[in-house]
Amino acid sequence: MQRVLVLSSKKQPLMPCHPARARELLKEKKAAVFRRFPFTIILKEREGGELQRTELKLDPGSKTTGMALTVHGDNGIRLVWAGNLSHRGHAISESLSSRAAQRRARRNRKTRYRPARFDNRAKPKGWLAPSLMSRVHNCETWAYRLIRLCPVTDIAIETVRFDMQLMANPKIAGVEYQQGSLHGYELREYLLQRDGHTCRYCGGASGDPVLNIDHVQPRAKGGSDSAKNLVTSCRTCNEDKGATLLSDWLKAVSKSRSKLNKARATRIPKVIAGRSPSMRDAAAVNATRYRIGDVMKATGLPTTFWSGGRTKFNRSQQGYQKDHWLDAACVGETGQQVFIPSSAVPLAIKATGHGSRQMTLPDKYGFPRTKAKGCSRVKGFRTGDVVKAVVPVGKYAGKYLGRISVRKTGTFSLQDSAGKRDVSHRYCTKVHSCDGYSYA
C-alpha cells in the first residue's frame, strides 16, 4: 500500500498521508481528488505544514526505470511511494524504420519524385537517437511531476556504466583490452578472417561462392551490429534465413532431408551456442546515463550519483528481491536501511505517447489508404482518457473504469482488464486526462 500525495489549498506539496487518513478527509469534504495517477488529494483549508526530508530515487534502465520516494522520519527511512516506468524506445525505433522504408521505396519507384533530404542531416553536439531521448524525457517528466506533488529535498540516481568488451569476453586484459577485437581489421575482413572465409551455417555445402555478412539475431528482432552478432554467411543461406530467428530456422531446416539442410542442422546449433546475448540494452543505458543526470541536476535540487554495486549490496543486505522500484529505494548511502512495507505495490506506468503524427495510414506500397485524421477531441474526450462509465441498460449494462478510444459518432471503445466494449459518451465521466502514459 502506498501513501497518498497531498497538496495544500495553494497547491504547495505537503507530506504524504496514509490512505485511511485520505479517505477520512475526502469523506468529510475537507479534501478533493486532485490527480488520479499518482493519486493526489488537495486540502481545501490547510495552507502549510511541517515537512521532512524526502528523497527522490531513480534506477534508470533500458526498458524500465524504477522510481521511489523515501521519507526520513523519527523512526528511520521509509518508502512512501514507488513506481516502475516502462519506456517505449523500441516502438519509436520501429516507427522510424518503417517511415524510412516507405520513403525509400517511394523514391526508388517511378512515381512522384521525393528527393533525399541531405541538407538537414547534420547532428548537433550531444545528439541522441529519438528512441534514447524518449527515455530521458520520460525520466524528466516524472521527476518534475513528483517534485510538484511531493516536497522533494534531494535526488539520488544509480549511474551504471557497462563495460561492453568485458561483458563480451571476461578474460580480456592488457593490450588486447585497449585495442579491442577489431584492431587492425575492417569489420568485414575481421569477420571473414575469424570465420575462415566459410559460411558458418552450411560450411560451404550450398556451393555459393558469394559471401555476405548476416545478423545472427536479426535487426528486425532487436539484434545489434556488434561483431558478436555477425557471422559470415553465403548468399543462399542469408536469403533463406532472412529475418527469421535462428532457433526457428533450425526447426524448419531440421524437417528437410536435403544435403544442404542436413549440413545446416549440424552447424546452426554451434552458432547458437557461440553467440553472445545482445548488448543493445547495456548500450542504451551507457548512452543515456549522463543526459539523465544533467536533467536531474537542472531541477536545482542536490543530486548525488551512486554505483549499481552499492545498490545491489544494500538490497541484498536487507533481503529485498530484485525489482526496479526496490533497486531505486536502495540507491545510495541512505539505501542501507530503508523500510519497505510488505504491502507496498508499485504504480505500473507505461509510456504510450500521444498518438501518431501521421495524417493517413499507407498501404503496403506506401500510398494513402485512409482519409486524413479528423479532430482528436470528441464530445470533450480524447483517446487515452481514463473514464468511469455507468451504462444503465443494454448489452454492456454495468459500471466500468478504463481507457477510451474516441470515435466521431460519440460511441467510444472502452478497454479495461476484462476486455473491450462500446459505450456512449453520455455515460462517461472523465477521471484522468490522457497524458501519454497508461497506468495499472
Side-chain angles (χ1 to χ4, degrees):
M1 183 180 297
Q2 303 199 72
R3 295 295 178 102
V4 176
L5 306 184
V6 182
L7 296 179
S8 70
S9 58
K10 295 185 177 180
K11 297 184 179 181
Q12 298 299 317
L14 301 177
M15 296 306 298
C17 69
H18 194 277
R21 176 58 177 163
R23 288 193 294 269
E24 182 181 347
L25 291 171
L26 292 171
K27 185 177 181 180
E28 295 176 356
K29 306 295 183 180
K30 294 182 179 180
V33 176
F34 180 79
R35 187 181 179 90
R36 182 74 59 166
F37 304 104
F39 193 77
T40 308
I41 62 173
I42 182 169
L43 303 179
K44 296 183 178 181
E45 299 177 357
R46 186 173 175 181
E47 295 184 359
E50 183 180 352
L51 303 181
Q52 297 173 312
R53 180 187 174 188
T54 305
E55 277 190 287
L56 169 59
K57 298 188 174 186
L58 298 177
D59 172 35
S62 171
K63 297 179 181 178
T64 304
T65 292
M67 301 179 294
L69 290 172
T70 58
V71 171
H72 295 241
D74 297 335
N75 297 325
I77 304 173
R78 180 187 180 92
L79 175 76
V80 295
W81 185 90
N84 276 339
L85 172 59
S86 300
H87 302 293
R88 58 186 295 263
H90 186 63
I92 293 175
S93 179
E94 287 185 343
S95 297
L96 291 174
S97 298
S98 175
R99 185 183 69 177
Q102 291 173 6
R103 287 178 170 173
R104 185 165 54 249
R106 282 203 300 264
R107 287 196 299 269
N108 292 335
R109 288 194 307 267
K110 291 184 179 180
T111 56
R112 176 176 63 87
Y113 180 64
R114 187 186 184 98
R117 299 183 300 171
F118 290 104
D119 57 341
N120 61 349
R121 293 191 176 185
K123 295 180 177 63
K125 185 178 180 180
W127 178 87
L128 285 178
S131 59
L132 298 178
M133 278 306 301
S134 70
R135 296 173 170 89
V136 179
H137 290 153
N138 290 339
C139 294
E140 179 182 20
T141 296
W142 275 92
Y144 279 97
R145 184 171 295 178
L146 293 173
I147 290 172
R148 288 196 301 268
L149 301 177
C150 188
V152 177
T153 56
D154 47 330
I155 301 175
I157 310 173
E158 178 186 304
T159 303
V160 180
R161 182 184 183 276
F162 292 104
D163 192 324
M164 312 295 278
Q165 284 203 83
L166 203 59
M167 291 172 64
N169 182 10
K171 297 182 180 180
I172 193 171
V175 177
E176 185 182 359
Y177 178 87
Q178 297 175 359
Q179 293 176 343
S181 58
L182 302 184
H183 177 69
Y185 293 90
E186 294 291 340
L187 179 60
R188 179 179 173 82
E189 294 301 321
Y190 165 77
L191 295 171
L192 291 172
Q193 182 74 17
R194 184 195 68 183
D195 298 337
H197 291 78
T198 306
C199 175
R200 289 282 299 275
Y201 297 136
C202 68
S206 66
D208 193 338
V210 180
L211 296 178
N212 297 330
I213 302 303
D214 182 60
H215 292 77
V216 178
Q217 177 84 1
R219 293 189 62 183
K221 303 292 178 60
S224 68
D225 292 326
S226 168
K228 291 292 182 179
N229 191 47
L230 300 175
V231 295
T232 304
S233 169
C234 66
R235 181 173 54 188
T236 302
C237 290
N238 193 9
E239 293 178 351
D240 191 14
K241 174 178 175 288
T244 309
L245 292 173
L246 210 55
S247 56
D248 296 336
W249 191 41
L250 176 61
K251 294 178 182 178
V253 301
S254 298
K255 298 177 181 179
S256 174
R257 296 184 177 275
S258 67
K259 181 179 179 180
L260 174 58
N261 284 331
K262 284 182 179 180
R264 289 170 174 170
T266 303
R267 298 177 67 90
I268 289 176
K270 298 179 182 179
V271 178
I272 295 176
R275 180 175 63 85
S276 301
S278 173
M279 298 184 188
R280 179 182 291 263
D281 292 340
V285 174
N286 279 350
T288 57
R289 66 186 190 279
Y290 290 129
R291 187 64 63 86
I292 293 176
D294 292 340
V295 166
M296 295 302 140
K297 288 189 289 186
T299 61
L301 296 174
T303 304
T304 55
F305 301 88
W306 304 90
S307 69
R310 180 65 177 269
T311 301
K312 183 178 180 180
F313 176 79
N314 292 343
R315 177 173 52 79
S316 301
Q317 289 294 106
Q318 298 174 89
Y320 297 133
Q321 298 180 352
K322 169 66 179 174
D323 205 331
H324 293 284
W325 66 280
L326 291 172
D327 278 346
C330 296
V331 167
E333 185 178 359
T334 58
Q336 295 183 59
Q337 293 181 344
V338 56
F339 174 70
I340 302 177
S342 58
S343 60
V345 178
L347 177 64
I349 309 164
K350 183 179 180 181
T352 58
H354 292 275
S356 173
R357 294 176 59 188
Q358 194 170 4
M359 289 302 296
T360 61
L361 298 178
D363 58 18
K364 64 179 181 179
Y365 301 108
F367 291 100
R369 63 176 177 85
T370 61
K371 296 181 180 179
K373 290 195 298 186
C375 180
S376 60
R377 190 176 295 275
V378 178
K379 307 295 184 181
F381 297 93
R382 290 181 59 191
T383 295
D385 288 345
V386 179
V387 303
K388 179 181 180 181
V390 181
V391 183
V393 294
K395 178 180 178 182
Y396 296 118
K399 297 181 179 181
Y400 308 100
L401 179 68
R403 289 165 56 88
I404 59 170
S405 298
V406 301
R407 304 189 188 104
K408 64 180 181 180
T409 59
T411 300
F412 304 152
S413 174
L414 186 148
Q415 181 174 8
D416 58 11
S417 58
K420 290 184 178 181
R421 58 196 56 82
D422 292 337
V423 297
S424 172
H425 71 279
R426 296 174 297 169
Y427 307 137
C428 295
T429 303
K430 186 189 300 185
V431 298
H432 187 82
S433 297
C434 173
D435 59 357
Y437 298 90
S438 64
Y439 306 92

